[in-house]
Amino acid sequence: TDIVRAVAGDRAEVVGLMGSGVDPHLYKPTRSDVERLLSADVIFYNGLLLEGKMTDSLVRAATAGKKVFAVTELLDERYLLEPEGFHGLYDPHVWMDPAAWAKAVDVVRDKLIEYDPGGEAGYRERAAAYADQLAELDRYAVEVLASVPEPKRVLVTAHDAFNYFGQRFGFEVVGIQGLSTESEAGVRDIERLVDLLVEREIQAVFVESTVSERNINALIAGARARGHSVVIGGELYSDAMGDDETYEGTYLGMIDRNVTAIARALGGEAPERGRLGRLAE
Ligand code: ZN
């Protein structure tokens, strides 16, 4: 939604179906969502099965002749991560790597031009400006995350949304729940992670805006019982942006917030209010 808004400018009315705090893995379209899809001119979705429960509705819209595009379609298979045991299925959380996410901007630009050639110049201009901002964000992330001492580059989160982040910025990434929040973590998963926290002396773990804190709290309690103190390093935006009309409610703000919180909580250096001094206190 955020990319399409940035690239379309005022040439399109852009409606996002999933708002702040909504978990896309579990999201089922309502009847009014389906009506909106069927009355849209162009539909963009993430793809890679992120919106698992929307597949039928997207297929229905495509069958009805709508233009339906996955913004991840230009990503090379050699780039995509194929988690163990998921043959032929890729990790969908590509937006965690701003450099890769720039390819999604290309898809949106090209498809909008195809649909509305009269707006080409504007689409190109706005897409280029947005890509510049992504590049700036990526540079900031590389810099502040490199300030985290190497042994501390371990990111423990509620679910496995940060593998591309780990790949891009050199962090080891551990999610309590798997790639989709549909699978539940068991007692044994929690115990295994408590071992990791204690052995590696990890000082902070992170909660996510779209996932319940229960597992993270169990982890912290487990570590405390073994004499190791761990804090919540902050709430990260994993699968949804922050509230509408806020800086964190944009892609640029959400990633700034994540990167800044991670760097600061794990012993690195980053400005308290982020790259542009715009993060909420
Ligand atoms: Zn996810």
Side-chain angles (χ1 to χ4, degrees):
T1 306
D2 197 55
I3 293 178
V4 180
R5 271 195 195 120
V7 176
D10 53 17
R11 274 191 89 88
E13 185 195 338
V14 180
V15 178
L17 295 187
M18 296 179 209
S20 161
V22 172
D23 181 342
H25 301 288
L26 305 178
Y27 188 77
K28 278 199 194 115
T30 62
R31 190 171 304 174
S32 78
D33 289 342
V34 176
E35 279 163 18
R36 275 167 162 164
L37 288 172
L38 292 173
S39 65
D41 297 310
V42 184
I43 298 164
F44 292 101
Y45 67 110
N46 183 78
L48 303 173
L49 289 180
L50 174 74
E51 304 96 335
K53 296 190 170 13
M54 284 196 68
T55 309
D56 289 350
S57 308
L58 294 169
V59 168
R60 208 174 131 195
T63 310
K66 296 290 161 189
K67 308 221 172 283
V68 183
F69 305 106
V71 298
T72 50
E73 71 177 37
L74 284 181
L75 286 165
D76 196 304
E77 286 186 8
R78 282 168 301 180
Y79 169 81
L80 293 171
L81 297 171
E82 187 183 313
E84 229 176 299
F86 283 75
H87 297 292
L89 292 179
Y90 297 110
D91 182 338
H93 303 90
V94 184
W95 58 92
M96 289 299 175
D97 173 352
W101 199 231
K103 298 240 196 242
V105 181
D106 295 349
V107 174
V108 171
R109 178 200 60 204
D110 293 348
K111 299 304 179 188
L112 288 177
I113 291 173
E114 221 174 279
Y115 182 79
D116 172 29
E120 174 166 356
Y123 293 133
R124 288 199 183 281
E125 197 175 304
R126 286 183 296 270
Y130 192 70
D132 284 348
Q133 293 190 61
L134 290 186
E136 291 283 335
L137 174 69
D138 187 61
R139 265 196 292 281
Y140 170 77
V142 166
E143 187 190 319
V144 301
L145 293 167
S147 73
V148 175
E150 251 184 272
K152 298 197 170 188
R153 292 183 197 165
V154 185
L155 182 64
V156 180
T157 61
H159 92 298
D160 243 343
F162 291 85
N163 293 310
Y164 293 100
F165 174 96
Q167 174 171 263
R168 175 79 186 105
F169 303 112
F171 275 62
E172 192 180 326
V173 170
V174 184
I176 304 179
Q177 277 176 283
L179 269 195
S180 167
T181 50
E182 282 181 282
S183 64
E184 261 305 324
V187 176
R188 209 177 299 161
D189 296 319
I190 301 281
E191 279 171 5
R192 191 172 45 81
L193 284 169
V194 168
D195 287 344
L196 178 86
L197 293 180
V198 174
E199 279 159 23
R200 302 280 297 271
E201 298 180 1
I202 296 167
Q203 63 197 47
V205 295
F206 297 87
V207 295
E208 296 173 33
S209 60
T210 47
V211 186
S212 144
E213 292 184 19
R214 194 173 32 131
N215 288 329
I216 285 286
N217 289 331
L219 206 56
I220 292 172
R224 192 183 302 127
R226 292 184 38 193
H228 177 62
S229 132
V230 180
V231 300
I232 292 184
E235 183 185 68
L236 303 181
Y237 296 109
S238 52
D239 290 5
M241 304 187 296
D243 292 333
D244 286 348
E245 314 290 326
T246 67
Y247 175 54
E248 288 83 349
T250 66
Y251 172 77
L252 295 166
M254 104 184 230
I255 300 295
D256 186 3
R257 159 68 175 272
N258 286 354
V259 162
T260 302
I262 291 167
R264 290 174 64 86
L266 296 179
E269 278 169 37
E272 192 176 355
R273 309 280 305 273
R275 177 172 75 100
L276 304 169
R278 290 180 64 189
L279 292 177
E281 294 190 50

